Amino acid sequence: MSQLTVARRRAISTTESPWIQAVLIAIALVFIALFLVLPLAAVFAEALRKGLGAYWLALLEPDAWAAIRLTLLTAVVAVPLNLVFGVAAAWAIAKYEFRGKSFLTTLIDLPFSVSPIVAGLIYVLVFGAQGWFGPWLAEKNIKIIFAVPGIILATIFVTFPFIARELIPLMQSQGSEEEQAAIVLGASGWQTFWRVTLPNIKWGLIYGVILCNARAMGEFGAVSVVSGHIRGQTNTMPLHVEILYNEYQSVAAFAVASLLALLALVTLAIKTWVEWRHAAEMRELSQLPPERPMNTVPIAQ
């Protein structure tokens, strides 16, 4: 970034009078305190109201531990599958021109506009006992609805746009010149992906994975429809919190909720670190002298 650009940005940021800046900052801080910090603090305070002993007992209770394991299992399965889909979809949309490209992009955005409850009902319609494939699945003794596969499928549905949507604009802005140059120099498609494409999209990919994982662990609506709320078997952490709260076990409910909040804070910290590393890398690249054109050295040996 040139010194002239920095000077212009500083000039723009200082055009407002100091008291207006102070008022805007104060309003932002008040909103953050009231609607973010205070509710999070209340969750942890309520969870620890009866001491650390009751807190740990609530988390180590068999049903709570089963909900924690199921939540982690769902994220471990859903996120890698969405990673593969996101990279493939972003590659196809950003690098190629084909009929139906805009329709594919619209389909990727579909889970953003469809209610999670509707997504869960769709899977019940397809795989439920009275659904399209229900009788055939019953004959084969395959259980999807009210079982772990249904929870994973519903989670995949509501989370699959996150990685693709992070990568598509990034790959479109980068263009395909570097990949074409690598292929001309003798690289295979796999080598081109690993040595050219992946390094260029790694920060966007990590960012998308973080968002996808956060949504997968916190999903409630779609999972609630397909899970059946079977304690110790099909309850994820959000569902377990609802059950405990409805049974007036507030300390246990807030203990599990605090664990979810803690996972969200960890996700936010990782997201902030990724953004910081990306900004640092971009600053380093902007300070490097321009590279000489490599028109004689092949990539593939």
Side-chain angles (χ1 to χ4, degrees), residues 264-293:
L265 292 175
V266 171
T267 301
L268 179 62
I270 296 174
K271 169 181 169 291
T272 304
W273 178 83
V274 167
E275 292 175 342
W276 175 79
R277 284 294 303 152
H278 184 217
E281 185 176 283
M282 295 302 294
R283 285 195 300 269
E284 292 175 1
L285 290 176
S286 65
Q287 295 172 0
L288 292 177
E291 296 183 357
R292 298 177 60 184

Side-chain angles (χ1 to χ4, degrees), residues 146-199:
F146 303 156
V148 175
I151 294 173
I152 294 175
L153 287 174
T155 303
I156 290 173
F157 180 88
V158 298
T159 58
F160 84 82
F162 286 92
I163 296 177
R165 262 299 163 200
E166 286 295 324
L167 294 181
I168 289 172
L170 177 61
M171 296 177 74
Q172 286 177 334
S173 65
Q174 291 173 351
S176 58
E177 289 80 7
E178 293 185 14
E179 285 86 354
Q180 293 174 0
I183 293 174
V184 169
L185 292 173
S188 64
W190 193 245
Q191 288 175 320
T192 301
F193 175 76
W194 279 105
R195 300 186 183 186
V196 179
T197 304
L198 189 59

Side-chain angles (χ1 to χ4, degrees), residues 17-147:
S17 60
W19 72 269
I20 293 180
Q21 295 182 25
V23 169
L24 293 176
I25 293 173
I27 292 174
L29 292 176
V30 168
F31 268 77
I32 290 174
L34 289 178
F35 299 107
L36 181 62
V37 177
L38 187 60
L40 282 176
V43 168
F44 285 98
E46 184 64 22
L48 296 171
R49 181 164 56 86
K50 292 186 178 180
L52 282 174
Y55 180 85
W56 286 114
L57 284 177
L59 293 181
L60 296 177
E61 193 265 335
D63 289 344
W65 186 237
I68 294 171
R69 288 200 307 269
L70 180 56
T71 301
L72 296 177
L73 173 64
T74 302
V76 165
V77 176
V79 173
L81 291 176
N82 282 326
L83 174 63
V84 174
F85 167 80
V87 172
W91 186 297
I93 292 173
K95 306 296 183 181
Y96 302 107
E97 293 295 334
F98 55 91
R99 184 177 298 177
K101 179 177 176 179
S102 59
F103 181 67
L104 176 59
T105 306
T106 303
L107 287 180
I108 291 175
D109 292 335
L110 186 62
F112 285 143
S113 56
V114 173
S115 169
I117 300 295
V118 175
L121 290 174
I122 290 172
Y123 282 100
V124 172
L125 174 64
V126 175
F127 300 112
Q130 307 299 323
W132 297 346
F133 301 109
W136 183 84
L137 292 172
E139 290 178 2
K140 303 296 182 181
N141 198 25
I142 300 174
K143 198 169 185 180
I144 294 181
I145 302 302
F146 303 156

Side-chain angles (χ1 to χ4, degrees), residues 231-250:
R231 299 188 69 154
Q233 297 183 30
T234 63
N235 273 343
T236 59
M237 291 171 65
L239 301 183
H240 190 60
V241 170
E242 181 199 28
I243 289 177
L244 292 175
Y245 188 77
N246 289 337
E247 293 177 350
Y248 302 101
Q249 300 182 46
S250 60

